[in-house]
Amino acid sequence: MSDPAFYIKAAQDLRSNEQQWQAYQSEGNCVLLAGPGSGKTKTLTIKLARMLTENVESPRGIACITYNNECARELETRLEALGVSSDSRVFIGTVHSFSLTQILLPYAKVAGLGLPDDFSVATRQQTRTALESAHAKVIADAGNPHRWDLPLSRHRRRFLDRTVPEWRTHDLQLTKLTEAYEAELRSMGVIDFDDMPLLAVRALRENPWLRKALVAKYPILAVDEYQDLGLALHGMVMGLCFSAGMRLFAVGDVDQSIYGFTGAHPELLRKLSEREDVETVKLGLNYRSGSQIVTASEYALGEKRGYQTPEGAPEGEVHFTPCTNGYEGQARHLFEVLLPQLLQLNPELEIGQIAILYPAAFIGDELAAVATENDYSFIRTDGNSLYPRGSRLMRWLEQCAMWCCEGWKTGKPSVKNIINEGARLFHEGVVDENSKLIFRRCLLTILWEQRDADVALDEWLDVLRSEVVYPMSTKARSLADELEVLQAFLERLGPEGDVPKMSLGDFAGMGAGLDRINLSTLHSAKGREFDVVFMCGMEEGRIPRYNASGREIREARRLFYVGFTRARLKVHLMFGANNSSRFVDELRNRLGVA
């Protein structure tokens, strides 16, 4: 349900920006090209609320596809503030979640995909086993089979239609490995992560009735971060929106495409925006960053885009800091010199508004060690964090922990948000209002009894796992991998694990939005914003990597640009004294910095 008063009032804020208002007023297929800090999420959510209220009659709804679960959560939170609650009329999730929950689970059997009736999503161990077995049959060498992970994934995503001759001629060895690997998965009765959109596209292509069924349910499709979602998503859009009649509202920025290694094709957004049957709107104001940062960001990108800052925007600062003694030297200079100076000069600055970004997770290890040594609290978002930050289950458990510590007093996070997110997580077991009521009662009873910040985290998690997570997961075919993540984390907390004893309060303190320094890879920082950004490891050989191809160099530059544009007020670039990145050197020359 949505309350028109909320979105109509919010829409008045868009009037002062001609391009935002144009996108809000659009009536057909629309592409919104939105650079960093341009207000694209605000525009998207208000537009979604309007379309749901004015253009779609109940029980029909809107589907919104996002790049990752954090993007989905942000959209859900903003829509709730506009009076739009997440219900059966509104789907917000990743392309993998859309493929699984809206196409494969309900229609796989009748769509003729050859999957068993009770298929489930493979765990990491199952995918590893399948690859090892396929490797032994096809490659049959003594090498590590898992070095084929990335080439195999790229090959599978490249060919949406395997009836084309290139499927056999482009790389026959990878094709045979793919077929053997997928056969191993099917023998286990499972599909993997890459299977979800690939099978969904196949189902849509081969079954016109399925396209009609989806258009009947969701006459409007919104896509956020279009440039990052690859061929499978583009195939769905072409079939649903330009063949079956679903209306499209797509948002993206070619300059922020940084996931080429996962199959992203930024040129697809460019081609989409050039279609005659699409209205294209480009946002030109950057509301996030200071004017000097906006100017410097175009130098960082290497191309002029003409972005402007609104009247009265701060100037912003860009600093260059060469360091000696490798990454440890950069970490020590940051935590022992730059950060104390920054906090002394800016006593009003919240430490949670500081981000330290880097190209690779191992650099985060150096930073985390020195931060701990100097008594700085931090939260990591990289491959070496305690658990994957993209895990829906772990993020939900964080919210539960925060409520058990102080949230039950402050209302942050709210019970409503925890219940709703849990219901979406365990959607196969929470199918109607009655089952949601049972889930609510069970969860709140357990959480109320566990309100103790000093309790051992492994004990608290074990109760939640046995009383809530496992019972709700018995019907959830999509949560096997999430349960594996939880189990791996519990093993790290156990007596044989490598993590010191943690309390519930420690775990709750890792939740997003708390007063801790943010340590993040450049990739994981995308979509976020901070007052101050330190970019460490800005060196040749790291960004871009040595021997990078032309395409890889262009993507590395975009990654540099993405990191740079996370900052509102200050950017500090840190690098080896004798090995600065070519991007840093070019930026210094353009800014006239010696």
Side-chain angles (χ1 to χ4, degrees):
M1 297 291 293
S2 64
D3 185 336
F6 287 105
Y7 85 82
I8 291 174
K9 182 178 180 180
Q12 300 312 306
D13 292 339
L14 304 181
R15 283 184 176 271
S16 60
N17 185 307
E18 182 180 347
Q19 289 73 37
Q20 288 181 346
W21 187 250
Q22 181 184 349
Y24 176 74
Q25 294 283 71
S26 65
E27 296 181 354
N29 296 322
C30 181
V31 170
L32 183 63
L33 300 177
S38 60
K40 65 101 173 172
T41 304
K42 176 181 179 181
T43 306
L44 172 60
T45 50
I46 296 174
K47 179 67 171 177
L48 286 172
R50 181 182 189 181
M51 291 190 296
L52 187 67
T53 303
E54 300 181 16
N55 304 128
V56 181
E57 293 186 10
S58 180
R60 305 176 82 191
I62 289 178
C64 182
I65 293 177
T66 66
Y67 180 71
N68 58 34
N69 290 314
E70 292 199 16
C71 292
R73 181 188 298 213
E74 172 71 9
L75 287 176
E76 288 168 352
T77 300
R78 294 201 186 199
L79 281 171
E80 285 179 0
L82 294 174
V84 179
S85 60
S86 296
D87 56 23
S88 59
R89 292 188 64 205
V90 183
F91 171 89
I92 301 176
T94 65
V95 66
H96 295 85
S97 177
F98 181 81
S99 299
L100 180 66
T101 64
Q102 305 301 309
I103 299 175
L104 299 183
L105 288 175
Y107 299 116
K109 183 176 181 179
V110 290
L113 296 179
L115 298 177
D117 293 348
D118 58 348
F119 78 90
S120 61
V121 178
T123 65
R124 282 185 175 85
Q125 185 55 52
Q126 286 174 317
T127 60
R128 290 177 65 87
T129 299
L131 180 54
E132 289 165 3
S133 179
H135 178 271
K137 294 177 180 178
V138 176
I139 309 299
D141 63 22
N144 179 3
H146 300 289
R147 68 184 177 87
W148 291 86
D149 274 323
L150 190 55
L152 179 67
S153 185
R154 285 175 174 167
H155 190 68
R156 295 172 72 195
R157 290 192 297 262
R158 180 181 182 130
F159 292 96
L160 298 184
D161 182 0
R162 295 183 182 177
T163 65
V164 299
E166 289 78 12
W167 175 243
R168 291 286 166 191
T169 60
H170 177 72
D171 190 324
L172 184 57
Q173 186 179 48
L174 271 175
T175 290
K176 290 181 176 179
L177 184 62
T178 295
E179 292 172 343
Y181 169 71
E182 292 177 351
E184 292 293 332
L185 291 179
R186 302 302 178 263
S187 71
M188 300 178 194
V190 299
I191 63 173
D192 73 354
F193 197 65
D194 283 337
D195 272 322
M196 296 176 193
L198 295 176
L199 289 171
V201 169
R202 177 183 151 197
L204 290 170
R205 184 177 64 244
E206 296 177 356
N207 298 278
W209 62 266
L210 179 53
R211 297 196 294 271
K212 292 179 181 179
L214 283 176
V215 173
K217 184 176 183 179
Y218 299 119
I220 297 177
L221 174 67
V223 182
D224 192 17
E225 304 290 2
Y226 196 101
Q227 75 282 350
D228 288 329
L229 291 165
L231 289 171
L233 183 277
H234 190 67
M236 288 186 197
V237 167
M238 291 298 104
L240 291 172
C241 299
F242 298 104
S243 294
M246 190 178 283
R247 177 178 166 187
L248 175 67
F249 189 83
V251 181
D253 180 14
V254 171
D255 294 334
Q256 295 186 75
S257 179
I258 57 175
Y259 294 103
F261 61 93
T262 67
H265 291 270
E267 64 273 10
L268 297 177
L269 174 60
R270 185 180 293 110
K271 291 178 180 178
L272 181 65
S273 69
E274 295 171 351
R275 289 180 62 103
E276 292 184 358
D277 52 356
V278 168
E279 179 181 3
T280 297
V281 181
K282 182 178 179 180
L283 301 184
L285 281 178
N286 184 322
Y287 294 96
R288 175 189 301 157
S289 303
S291 56
Q292 184 177 354
I293 295 175
V294 171
T295 298
S297 71
E298 292 198 339
Y299 298 157
L301 181 63
E303 297 184 45
K304 188 169 180 58
R305 293 290 184 253
Y307 292 124
Q308 303 291 322
T309 54
E311 186 176 348
E315 184 176 356
E317 301 174 12
V318 180
H319 301 275
F320 299 85
T321 307
C323 297
T324 57
N325 300 322
Y327 297 124
E328 181 182 357
Q330 292 182 40
R332 292 206 171 277
H333 189 66
L334 195 163
F335 284 107
E336 296 172 4
V337 179
L338 296 180
L339 198 51
Q341 290 176 352
L342 175 69
L343 295 173
Q344 183 178 8
L345 292 172
N346 303 274
E348 76 289 350
L349 179 64
E350 296 179 6
I351 200 167
Q353 286 301 325
I354 299 171
I356 303 172
L357 312 182
Y358 36 89
F362 78 89
I363 301 175
D365 295 340
E366 296 277 9
L367 291 160
V370 177
T372 301
E373 186 179 324
N374 286 274
D375 296 322
Y376 284 103
S377 298
F378 59 86
I379 178 171
R380 289 186 71 169
T381 309
D382 62 34
N384 291 343
S385 56
L386 281 175
Y387 44 83
R389 299 296 301 172
S391 167
R392 294 175 297 147
L393 176 58
M394 296 304 298
R395 294 299 295 271
W396 180 71
L397 289 170
E398 280 182 2
Q399 297 293 304
C400 292
M402 293 167 67
W403 190 87
C404 285
C405 291
E406 291 292 334
W408 65 278
K409 298 178 184 177
T410 65
K412 296 181 180 179
S414 70
V415 167
K416 178 182 177 182
N417 285 346
I418 290 174
I419 297 295
N420 286 342
E421 190 163 338
R424 288 191 292 273
L425 183 66
F426 304 110
H427 63 93
E428 291 171 86
V430 184
V431 295
D432 52 31
E433 287 303 316
N434 184 57
S435 57
K436 187 172 183 178
L437 179 61
I438 295 172
F439 170 64
R440 174 190 174 93
R441 288 174 176 169
C442 176
L443 177 63
L444 289 183
T445 299
I446 298 300
L447 294 182
W448 187 258
E449 294 172 349
Q450 301 294 315
R451 292 170 299 131
D452 182 358
D454 295 324
V455 70
L457 177 59
D458 55 349
E459 296 176 8
W460 182 87
L461 283 173
D462 194 55
V463 172
L464 263 290
R465 178 177 63 169
S466 59
E467 300 293 330
V468 178
V469 175
Y470 276 4
M472 294 305 303
S473 300
T474 54
K475 297 180 180 179
R477 291 181 280 168
S478 60
L479 287 179
D481 199 37
E482 296 280 359
L483 297 175
E484 198 174 68
V485 170
L486 174 58
Q487 180 59 35
F489 181 55
L490 280 167
E491 289 172 1
R492 295 189 68 180
L493 293 174
E496 305 298 323
D498 62 334
V499 178
K501 201 74 171 177
M502 289 180 65
S503 68
L504 179 62
D506 293 330
F507 181 63
M510 297 176 69
L514 297 164
D515 200 26
R516 294 172 178 237
I517 293 174
N518 298 274
L519 302 185
S520 173
T521 56
L522 290 164
H523 283 97
S524 295
K526 186 168 180 292
R528 305 177 70 188
E529 55 185 51
F530 308 93
D531 286 344
V532 179
V533 168
F534 293 90
M535 294 173 63
C536 296
M538 297 296 101
E539 295 155 353
E540 197 72 9
R542 185 57 55 190
I543 183 167
R545 293 183 295 179
Y546 291 125
N547 301 318
S549 67
R551 184 185 181 98
E552 290 168 337
I553 291 171
R554 290 191 294 274
E555 181 158 309
R557 183 184 281 279
R558 294 196 295 266
L559 184 62
F560 182 66
Y561 171 76
V562 164
F564 202 93
T565 53
R566 300 310 92 200
R568 298 188 189 98
L569 303 175
K570 299 177 190 290
V571 179
H572 292 259
L573 299 170
M574 304 185 69
F575 44 88
N578 299 309
N579 187 33
S580 52
S581 166
R582 68 184 73 176
F583 306 144
V584 172
D585 293 341
E586 183 179 332
L587 183 57
R588 294 173 78 174
N589 290 335
R590 296 291 298 274
L591 293 175
V593 177

